[in-house]
Amino acid sequence: MTHLTRTTGWPAVLVVATGIFTVVTSEMLPVGLLTPMGAALQVSEGTAGQTLTTTGIVAAVAAPLVVPALGRIDRRTALVALTALLAAANLLAAWAPAFAVMVVARVLVGVAMGGIWALSAGLAVRLVAPGAVGRATATIFSGIAVASVLGVPAGTFLGAIAGWRAAFVVVGALSAAVALAMVVLLPRLPAERAPGLSGVTALLRNPPVATGLVVVALLVVGHFGAYTYVRPVLEGLAIDAPLIGTLLLVYGVAGVLGNFVAGTAAVRSVPRTMQVLAGLVVAAVLLLALAPSASLAAVALVVWGLGYGGVSVTAQTWMMAAAPEARETVSSLFAAVFNGAIALGAVGGGLVVDGFGPSAVLVWGAVLAAAALVAVATGRAPRS
């Protein structure tokens, strides 16, 4: 372990973080390409948008299944293969002559995403010295935040100047490059134990694991239910499109900062850090719901970014502390719940918006985040 930390630890952490960045960018890429995709594939924008839902649902199902299916396969080999699958899926999406082919490509993205996330989330402890695990975990999960800030806008920009198919080609090429980098930079990572589906169900009976999953579900459903519809809320404050783009960029940068701050804090106290994050989300969403001006909306988005940006790394730290003997399996459960909550949040938020308007979805998100705060306080938390 010592030689591994000195020679390959941080380069390996960075390539895993890049893999997370690539898979999240692949998942979210259709967001900025719906109109040209729909026109080319002869479907409505709403139907084209279901490619995003498809990926999230498949990732949620695949995450707890991929790890047991891998058995004793070396985890470096598995990550390289899954990242190569991601590259192939993006290239298939770029070529897709019909919507059915696009759906197949997005299913493959979901399988790759579920597997990569499940395997990558708990790798920090195997790549760096114990004192650096918190920073390394935060670095790996920074791939999610950076993909939101840079990956999706970059894909949208590429689509605008070179066509939507070119955006998928570029992300496919990036995925292939990451797979090659993993071959060079990752050490051999033998499977630590032979996982099975029985291990997944057993973890659900672990009180700290169950509490953590409930907290994640509530926070992520609430966040995505509200954040998916944040643009119409900002438009209701008479904020123009360029300023909305700037505000969302500021939110993303705050999210990257929140990821690293929370990653360090969670090592000292997981439940306290999660309570602070949930509290920030509640305060930010309510402030945005009540904001009478663009300046208050900007403050709310910064606080929201700081709070939600730290959720994924803190939740992973919670899972690792709750089941240190089953890191891969508990990470796969975390990935499944997280991705399922994204899909459920977007659907639930849409129902609230249609029934009660954009402002109501912010209240709905705040209520769920507050419920997560209660779950942390009343549930069983792991020892740090």
Side-chain angles (χ1 to χ4, degrees):
M1 184 68 162
T2 302
H3 79 278
L4 195 153
T5 299
R6 291 177 178 172
T7 59
T8 64
W10 281 101
V13 167
L14 291 174
V15 78
V16 173
T18 306
I20 291 288
F21 166 84
T22 306
V23 80
V24 173
T25 298
S26 299
E27 179 192 25
M28 304 300 293
L29 194 59
V31 170
L33 306 172
L34 291 182
T35 301
M37 276 177 55
L41 300 175
Q42 299 182 330
V43 296
S44 68
E45 289 183 16
T47 301
Q50 296 309 308
T51 58
L52 189 66
T53 306
T54 298
T55 300
I57 292 173
V58 171
V61 174
L65 299 178
V66 168
V67 172
L70 290 172
R72 304 297 298 177
I73 294 175
D74 185 278
R75 282 3 188 185
R76 178 179 66 178
T77 302
L79 278 171
V80 170
L82 287 166
T83 308
L85 174 63
L86 182 68
N90 279 307
L91 294 177
L92 179 62
W95 170 76
F99 184 67
V101 178
M102 175 60 77
V103 170
V104 172
R106 298 299 292 175
V107 167
L108 294 177
V109 170
V111 172
M113 181 176 185
I116 291 170
W117 191 332
L119 293 178
S120 299
L123 277 184
V125 73
R126 301 186 67 182
L127 297 175
V128 297
V133 168
R135 283 183 292 123
T137 302
T139 300
I140 289 172
F141 276 91
S142 71
I144 298 173
V146 175
S148 301
V149 177
L150 298 178
V152 175
T156 304
F157 177 74
L158 277 172
I161 64 173
W164 67 270
R165 294 183 188 275
F168 279 101
V169 169
V170 169
V171 177
L174 175 61
S175 304
V178 172
L180 290 174
M182 286 178 172
V183 172
V184 175
L185 296 175
L186 285 180
R188 290 185 66 253
L189 296 166
E192 294 181 303
R193 56 182 297 178
L197 286 176
S198 59
V200 175
T201 56
L203 281 176
L204 292 174
R205 297 191 294 271
N206 178 322
V209 170
T211 298
L213 294 176
V214 169
V215 172
V216 168
L218 290 169
L219 268 176
V220 176
V221 170
H223 165 79
F224 274 93
Y227 186 71
T228 301
Y229 302 94
V230 73
R231 183 172 185 128
V233 171
L234 296 176
E235 289 172 343
L237 296 173
I239 301 175
D240 58 23
L243 183 53
I244 289 176
T246 301
L247 290 176
L248 294 181
L249 177 61
V250 169
Y251 162 87
V253 172
V256 175
L257 177 61
N259 172 82
F260 283 101
V261 172
T264 301
V267 173
R268 294 191 294 269
S269 177
V270 178
R272 187 178 300 117
T273 303
M274 189 64 84
Q275 286 176 324
V276 171
L277 296 176
L280 288 174
V281 173
V282 172
V285 176
L286 288 178
L287 178 60
L288 186 57
L290 300 172
S293 66
S295 57
L296 278 178
V299 172
L301 285 170
V302 168
V303 175
W304 195 349
L306 288 171
Y308 187 74
V311 167
S312 56
V313 65
T314 303
Q316 176 61 25
T317 304
W318 181 305
M319 294 294 115
M320 297 283 284
E325 76 290 345
R327 289 190 290 260
E328 285 186 352
T329 307
V330 80
S331 295
S332 71
L333 276 175
F334 168 52
V337 170
F338 200 103
N339 283 284
I342 290 174
L344 184 59
V347 172
L351 294 175
V352 173
V353 167
D354 290 343
F356 304 98
S359 295
V361 80
L362 295 176
V363 176
W364 184 67
V367 168
L368 288 174
L373 194 58
V374 173
V376 176
T378 60
R380 183 84 66 83
R383 296 179 179 178
S384 297

